[in-house]
Amino acid sequence: MSISCFSLLFCLPFFTFLTIHSKPVTSPYLSPTTIFPHYQNMLKTFKIFIYTPNEAFTFNTPAESLFYASLRNSPFVTHDAEEAHLFFVPFASGLSTRSIARVIRRLREELPYWNRTLGADHFYLSCAGLGYESNRNLVELKKNSVQISCFPASAGKFIPHKDIALPPFPKSNVPQAPANRTARFLGYFGHSGVKESSLVNELVNDPDFLIESEPSDQLSYTERLASSKFCLFEYGGDVSGIGEALRFGCVPAVITDRPIQDLPFLDVLRWQEIAVFVPVGGVKELKRVLGRTYGDRHEQMSKLGVKASEHFVWNRVPQPLDSFHTVMYQLYLRRHTIRYPRRERD
Ligand SMILES: *[C@@H]1O[C@H](CO)[C@@H](O)[C@H](O)[C@H]1NC(C)=O
Ligand SMILES: *[C@@H]1O[C@H](CO)[C@@H](O)[C@H](O)[C@H]1NC(C)=O
């Protein structure tokens, strides 16, 4: 078969077609060739200045606490604000908006860094996320600074492309995956049992699905993950097992009634290659979507998911490419904020 291209415009769609349909995706990353060099540069150069909090405080969730402790003990911290790429504003979970506004007002008045970018090179941790307020300090914090919140974020409290979602903190440490997977079930749904959704009630009697409220023990939990093709999660429900599902090659099937814009590592991973998103619509819809992902496609997704899973691991002492470091990498990607030009020395 010979193809002649009369013009570049004619050829382009053809090549686009080729890349989309003939080359299987072999990397879970959006930028497979640049992520690792950039990550190495981050380790060498990235600097964060942490403001001194007004008073001792704690975070309410394990992911926030561990992230903050890891950051404070990391080589990213600088005590020289002039060399910092980003500034971290620490304040307690659940601090009133009035008190947060006071924190920002003080930074603005006492130090030059906030005014330089009106907060755009600043970030903060807030699991629940901040809402829209009318106070100027809060407006700038919310609209300009990078918010790191928990996944899933509360509706209306997450600004896509700017904000970052922490990967969920697993409920327990699960042992290593069994050496071989034999998927006997189409889907596994380990739900907390708190909220009995109508879907769960529909699935309980379906032999293709394994549904349980409390895994009997850790080993059987890993076997269950390994014995199912898909692990079901309801967006807005308990998603704490999503990293483990990936690690065990159980492709996450996230049931959602709207596009999800707060997925962890949305600007790092190709989520469409490691998970499926299922519209709310009962068992029929679920089986239809999962059924499209059989065979080689499922195999490939499962493999890429295992590769991606290292980014979902939370370690007491941070390890390369784990949750802490990948969130840092997302911050690193956001370091070139719009900022007022610094005055050059002459
Ligand atoms: C920052 O700007 C505000 C006015 O918007 C001003 O009141 C404040 O003094 C400035 N801060 C510094 C440190 O210059
Ligand atoms: C792994 O596969 C082998 C052969 O296919 C089988 O005999 C063995 O029981 C499997 N192990 C597990 C843990 O499923």
Side-chain angles (χ1 to χ4, degrees):
M1 182 176 71
S2 80
I3 293 151
S4 50
C5 297
F6 301 110
S7 74
L8 191 60
L9 270 182
F10 176 79
C11 285
L12 270 180
F14 179 72
F15 286 123
T16 315
F17 171 81
L18 272 189
T19 36
I20 291 172
H21 293 278
S22 65
K23 215 168 77 187
V25 177
T26 54
S27 162
Y29 300 112
L30 285 168
S31 313
T33 54
T34 55
I35 177 170
F36 294 107
H38 288 176
Y39 179 86
Q40 291 303 325
N41 282 342
M42 169 188 81
L43 295 180
K44 280 184 247 155
T45 61
F46 194 33
K47 291 297 169 203
I48 307 286
F49 182 85
I50 303 180
Y51 289 112
T52 310
N54 289 357
E55 54 197 356
F57 73 94
T58 53
F59 285 109
N60 287 347
T61 64
E64 285 173 294
S65 308
L66 190 50
F67 180 83
Y68 183 47
S70 304
L71 176 63
R72 277 193 306 173
N73 296 322
S74 75
F76 298 114
V77 173
T78 178
H79 298 287
D80 176 4
E82 291 302 328
E83 71 163 9
H85 299 98
L86 294 180
F87 296 77
F88 179 64
V89 187
F91 53 82
S93 309
L95 192 67
S96 71
T97 47
R98 182 190 280 204
S99 303
I100 298 171
R102 222 176 296 141
V103 169
I104 302 303
R105 196 182 64 211
R106 218 193 76 203
L107 295 185
R108 179 202 304 282
E109 285 169 359
E110 292 177 4
L111 294 162
Y113 312 112
W114 186 273
N115 276 355
R116 241 170 25 185
T117 62
L118 301 180
D121 53 3
H122 286 53
F123 67 102
Y124 62 96
L125 273 171
S126 171
C127 190
L130 299 183
Y132 289 95
E133 304 282 341
S134 55
N135 175 284
R136 175 193 171 183
N137 298 295
L138 294 171
V139 168
E140 289 177 8
L141 183 68
K142 167 83 185 167
K143 288 183 135 178
N144 299 343
S145 305
V146 176
Q147 171 181 282
I148 303 183
S149 47
C150 297
F151 172 72
S154 322
K157 294 193 170 170
F158 187 91
I159 303 179
H161 308 296
K162 174 177 77 65
D163 295 342
I164 292 173
L166 292 172
F169 199 83
K171 289 214 178 93
S172 55
N173 276 323
V174 176
Q176 279 305 308
N180 42 3
R181 285 179 50 78
T182 37
R184 287 177 294 131
F185 296 100
L186 177 60
Y188 169 75
F189 191 14
H191 64 108
S192 57
V194 180
K195 192 186 80 179
E196 291 285 335
S197 73
S198 59
L199 184 65
V200 170
N201 293 333
E202 265 189 277
L203 289 176
V204 158
N205 296 318
D206 192 312
D208 287 342
F209 292 89
L210 179 59
I211 310 296
E212 60 182 351
S213 52
E214 293 294 336
S216 38
D217 60 64
Q218 286 304 322
L219 185 65
S220 69
Y221 179 50
T222 65
E223 276 168 2
R224 271 149 212 202
L225 292 184
S227 69
S228 306
K229 285 180 182 296
F230 296 94
C231 284
L232 312 186
F233 297 94
E234 281 182 304
Y235 180 65
D238 180 6
V239 293
S240 63
I242 213 162
E244 279 153 6
L246 289 168
R247 185 153 65 97
F248 288 85
C250 188
V251 173
V254 185
I255 299 155
T256 175
D257 57 2
R258 56 177 178 273
I260 306 180
Q261 298 186 300
D262 60 341
L263 285 165
F265 312 136
L266 202 51
D267 45 9
V268 175
L269 295 175
R270 284 175 190 270
W271 270 96
Q272 297 298 340
E273 302 296 333
I274 61 173
V276 292
F277 298 90
V278 186
V280 174
V283 176
K284 248 191 170 165
E285 179 66 4
L286 181 63
K287 285 193 168 178
R288 191 184 64 78
V289 176
L290 300 188
R292 279 199 313 233
T293 321
Y294 261 136
D296 292 348
R297 169 85 177 131
H298 177 272
E299 187 92 335
Q300 182 68 11
M301 290 183 90
S302 168
K303 273 192 207 148
L304 294 181
V306 173
K307 268 195 208 172
S309 68
E310 66 179 320
H311 302 291
F312 291 78
V313 177
W314 282 103
N315 293 298
R316 291 273 148 221
V317 178
Q319 302 297 315
L321 297 166
D322 67 0
S323 278
F324 169 69
H325 280 100
T326 313
V327 172
M328 290 308 295
Y329 183 69
Q330 289 186 284
L331 287 168
Y332 179 69
L333 296 178
R334 287 159 176 71
R335 74 199 180 283
H336 295 303
T337 51
I338 302 156
R339 68 164 81 210
Y340 297 108
R342 285 188 203 186
R343 190 179 293 159
E344 302 291 340
R345 290 199 196 97
D346 26 33

